[in-house]
Amino acid sequence: MGIRLSDREFLENLEFLSADPVKKLEEHYTMPHGKRRECSNECNATTLRLRNRAGLVLEIDLRAYNDGVAFRYRLPGADQALHTLLTEHTGFSLPSSSRLWVQPYDETATHSPAYEAFYEDGIAAGTPSHANGWAFPLLFCTANQKHWALITEANTTANFCATRLVNQGTDDLYRVQLPDPRDGNRAGSANPIARLPWEMPWRVIVVGGSPGTIVESTLVTDLSQPSTLTDTSWIHPGRVAWSWWSNQRSPKDAKAQMQFIDLAAEMGWEYVLVDANWPIMDNGNIHEVI
């Protein structure tokens, strides 16, 4: 564990200051759609405080759930200076005999990373990562398949970024990696920048005795801030006809989209998704499709 900023680091020779008494957190919330409507967020929580050699304090929030654990870094204080995170040294050491289901992180290009690569199916822990690492989430099980876990992140807000995992192939340690500066066509900084106090995203491990526990877990939304939308009445989940997956040129073709509209009507599906290139349609335009 640890982080390094442009003006401070919390990596070595940290002094333990204090730990809050463990307390039980309990809240209930409603989701407009998803795994279940009524969700229960219950855990035991504490905060550790550590001091580096310069006398600066790092706080680590810890939470223990029935179906997993989570932690996050927090920098206390209050100032108007902007602080830049250079590296996060969080790493997850996996059992050497475990098997992984994980997606290679895309090569950086005009339209990627896009999270469209096929998942690696049951590869051995320690398999060297692709050039750009692995995308979240990472699912793994022990050799006897009695223990399963999903590693991911939660509550990535505007003062941080989505990350990934990398391993060197020399051990089973999977470290958090910040974005490549080329990601997003260099629009903005690849490094998170914020003022203090700074509350960083949760690092999450969902655990269970079977994949079913992982699928049923609401741990990621439990750890995330509530939506700021006050009116969700317009959100109506539904089934979608989507042409791009089988014909990537079809979103440019109004006639092709109308065929998928007819398909959705025939099947009783609620929606049609018109994918990339819809502003430059042939055989009509998006208004005619609508």
Side-chain angles (χ1 to χ4, degrees), residues 5-81:
L5 284 76
S6 55
D7 61 343
R8 64 193 67 189
E9 66 176 38
F10 299 92
L11 296 175
E12 297 177 336
N13 300 313
L14 301 182
E15 177 188 2
F16 174 76
L17 294 179
S18 65
D20 289 348
V22 176
K23 61 181 178 181
K24 184 176 180 62
L25 300 180
E26 183 174 351
E27 67 174 356
H28 302 277
Y29 61 96
T30 301
M31 294 289 286
H33 64 88
K35 297 179 181 181
R36 58 176 60 90
R37 179 168 177 80
E38 302 298 331
C39 300
S40 179
N41 178 19
E42 300 180 12
C43 66
N44 290 327
T46 186
T47 298
L48 308 181
R49 291 174 186 82
L50 307 169
R51 182 166 54 198
N52 68 6
R53 285 174 289 189
L56 301 171
V57 175
L58 171 70
E59 297 179 339
I60 302 177
D61 292 330
L62 303 170
R63 290 190 181 183
Y65 292 80
N66 288 339
D67 58 352
V69 294
F71 64 91
R72 69 179 173 189
Y73 304 108
R74 281 197 294 129
L75 293 174
D79 60 40
Q80 293 302 306

Side-chain angles (χ1 to χ4, degrees), residues 212-226:
T213 305
I214 310 296
V215 172
E216 294 171 2
S217 174
T218 59
L219 194 49
V220 170
T221 51
D222 293 347
L223 289 161
S224 298
Q225 295 177 7

Side-chain angles (χ1 to χ4, degrees), residues 68-146:
V69 294
F71 64 91
R72 69 179 173 189
Y73 304 108
R74 281 197 294 129
L75 293 174
D79 60 40
Q80 293 302 306
L82 290 173
H83 302 270
T84 302
L85 181 72
L86 299 181
T87 54
E88 178 176 338
H89 291 254
T90 303
F92 302 90
S93 184
L94 305 186
S96 58
S97 59
S98 57
R99 296 168 57 203
L100 281 61
W101 288 262
V102 61
Q103 183 185 58
Y105 199 84
D106 282 336
E107 293 281 348
T108 299
T110 302
H111 300 296
S112 64
Y115 302 96
E116 293 177 343
F118 290 109
Y119 271 66
E120 299 287 345
D121 182 14
I123 61 175
T127 299
S129 65
H130 294 248
N132 294 297
W134 307 102
F136 278 122
L138 180 151
L139 174 70
F140 74 94
C141 71
T142 54
N144 59 12
Q145 298 191 31
K146 290 185 177 180

Side-chain angles (χ1 to χ4, degrees), residues 218-282:
T218 59
L219 194 49
V220 170
T221 51
D222 293 347
L223 289 161
S224 298
Q225 295 177 7
S227 172
T228 58
L229 291 176
T230 56
D231 178 17
T232 59
S233 61
W234 55 273
I235 301 175
H236 300 286
R239 297 155 296 182
V240 184
W242 179 42
S243 66
W244 184 91
W245 77 270
S246 58
N247 182 353
Q248 295 181 7
R249 294 183 57 84
S250 61
K252 290 180 63 176
D253 188 336
K255 287 185 177 179
Q257 294 309 305
M258 293 175 188
Q259 290 176 339
F260 272 81
I261 292 171
D262 291 341
L263 170 65
E266 182 179 342
M267 298 298 293
W269 298 341
E270 290 81 1
Y271 296 110
V272 172
L273 170 62
V274 185
D275 210 308
N277 294 320
W278 58 266
I280 50 174
M281 280 186 176
D282 299 320

